[in-house]
Amino acid sequence: MTEVAAEGAAATPAGNGEPLVFEQPLNERMRAYLRLDFLYSQGLFHAHSSSQWTSRAAITSLLDIIAIITRSDIRADVLKELERQMAVYTEFQRRPNIDVDRLQALVSNLSRLRTELLTADSSRLQPLRDSPFLAAIRHRSAIPGGTCDFDLPDLSYWLAQPNATRDQALSDWLALLRPLCDSIAELLWLTRQSGRVRSEVAANGVFHIAFDRGQPVQLLRVSVPAELGVFPEISGSHYRASVRFVSWQGLNERARQVETDVPFDLICCH
């Protein structure tokens, strides 16, 4: 059974009085989706800033996305999942007491994303793979500090161009990834929406759960009050999982195992 490393959990920042939400993918596909969604959001954030440093960060996100999508056929997997979700929600429309208009809008959006992704075949990303400029940065990025000015004078020259020039290049590159990444964002939203909130208590900071083998769980979400000063370390597979709460000890000490009961909300997303 494949175990998912605890450090893979991602947290949603808390606002005023809002709980912290940590997510743990329980299969390879969900891990890839979450990583791509994270990197694309990060790339979009940095792409529209006037700083040369954020342009560097945007390129780093872009190169990480390219590395992930070239290792496996993510596009085919996303297309298959879009079609499956369309079939599921189309079937829902035949059930009584269903908001048909809302379901039709959902199916229509899935259909639009599928059409856009079908149109954007794998050759669409070839400019990203074939770019000598990006290839040089990718090669030097494997070396600590390898993208310094003296290592990559062409990158230094590009960074010295007007903001509008850099913004346009980054926008063009990210636009090539948009059909895939928008589809993944929608699939992640649907996955999160599939979960039901369960109030649980981790006795002495530890909680174990076994999932129904007939309905494998893809994503585990743990919501914990921010004021408790604790966070979960989650490990498991789509059949079972363990949640261990530890207390934050600052930046200079390791987090410590909680020895008291911890109330939290558990959301199992299929």
Side-chain angles (χ1 to χ4, degrees):
M1 181 180 296
T2 302
E3 295 293 323
V4 181
E7 57 268 23
T12 300
N16 294 330
E18 292 294 319
L20 286 169
V21 179
F22 296 81
E23 294 188 329
Q24 182 70 22
L26 298 179
N27 58 39
E28 288 294 336
R29 180 176 64 188
M30 192 55 53
R31 281 200 288 276
Y33 284 7
L34 287 171
R35 285 171 179 154
L36 287 170
D37 187 59
F38 161 76
L39 290 168
Y40 185 65
S41 298
Q42 183 173 260
L44 287 176
F45 177 84
H46 289 303
H48 302 295
S49 173
S50 60
S51 168
Q52 293 186 12
W53 297 108
T54 55
S55 293
R56 284 178 174 271
I59 288 182
T60 298
S61 298
L62 182 72
L63 293 176
D64 285 346
I65 291 174
I66 296 171
I68 292 175
I69 63 180
T70 53
R71 285 199 295 262
S72 61
D73 195 353
I74 294 288
R75 176 177 172 274
D77 182 86
V78 171
L79 280 170
K80 182 179 179 180
E81 185 61 16
L82 286 172
E83 292 168 357
R84 188 187 73 83
Q85 293 284 3
M86 287 172 60
V88 168
Y89 287 104
T90 298
E91 177 63 28
F92 278 170
Q93 294 183 65
R94 301 187 179 95
R95 299 183 181 183
N97 303 319
I98 292 294
D99 188 338
V100 176
D101 290 340
R102 184 177 179 185
L103 269 178
Q104 286 179 342
L106 178 58
V107 172
S108 177
N109 189 48
L110 289 171
S111 179
R112 176 186 61 81
L113 291 169
R114 177 180 175 275
T115 300
E116 290 180 357
L117 190 53
L118 279 171
T119 303
D121 58 24
S122 57
S123 64
R124 177 188 175 97
L125 301 181
Q126 209 58 41
L128 297 176
R129 301 188 183 101
D130 294 343
S131 168
F133 177 75
L134 292 176
I137 300 173
R138 180 168 56 249
H139 175 71
R140 297 300 302 182
S141 294
I143 304 170
T147 60
C148 286
D149 292 347
F150 67 87
D151 280 310
L152 286 173
D154 49 348
L155 173 59
S156 180
Y157 177 83
W158 180 76
L159 290 171
Q161 299 306 300
N163 296 340
T165 301
R166 299 199 314 274
D167 288 351
Q168 187 61 55
L170 290 168
S171 294
D172 290 345
W173 287 330
L174 289 168
L176 297 175
L177 298 165
R178 185 186 60 76
L180 175 65
C181 293
D182 279 358
S183 296
I184 288 174
E186 181 73 5
L187 292 174
L188 285 173
W189 181 81
L190 289 172
T191 299
R192 292 178 177 120
Q193 291 296 112
S194 73
R196 293 185 178 180
V197 180
R198 295 165 40 181
S199 295
E200 303 284 359
V201 175
N204 297 320
V206 178
F207 183 83
H208 302 288
I209 179 173
F211 306 125
D212 181 356
R213 288 178 175 265
Q215 284 189 309
V217 174
Q218 297 193 79
L219 179 68
L220 199 65
R221 308 187 79 211
V222 173
S223 175
V224 60
E227 62 270 17
L228 294 184
V230 302
F231 61 91
E233 292 182 341
I234 310 170
S235 62
S237 71
H238 52 285
Y239 292 130
R240 61 177 180 155
S242 296
V243 181
R244 183 174 75 99
F245 286 95
V246 294
S247 61
W248 174 256
Q249 300 295 315
L251 298 176
N252 299 317
E253 293 186 37
R254 291 179 62 88
R256 297 176 185 172
Q257 167 74 49
V258 173
E259 297 181 353
T260 57
D261 293 350
V262 178
F264 68 100
D265 287 338
L266 180 71
I267 307 100
C268 300
C269 306
H270 299 279

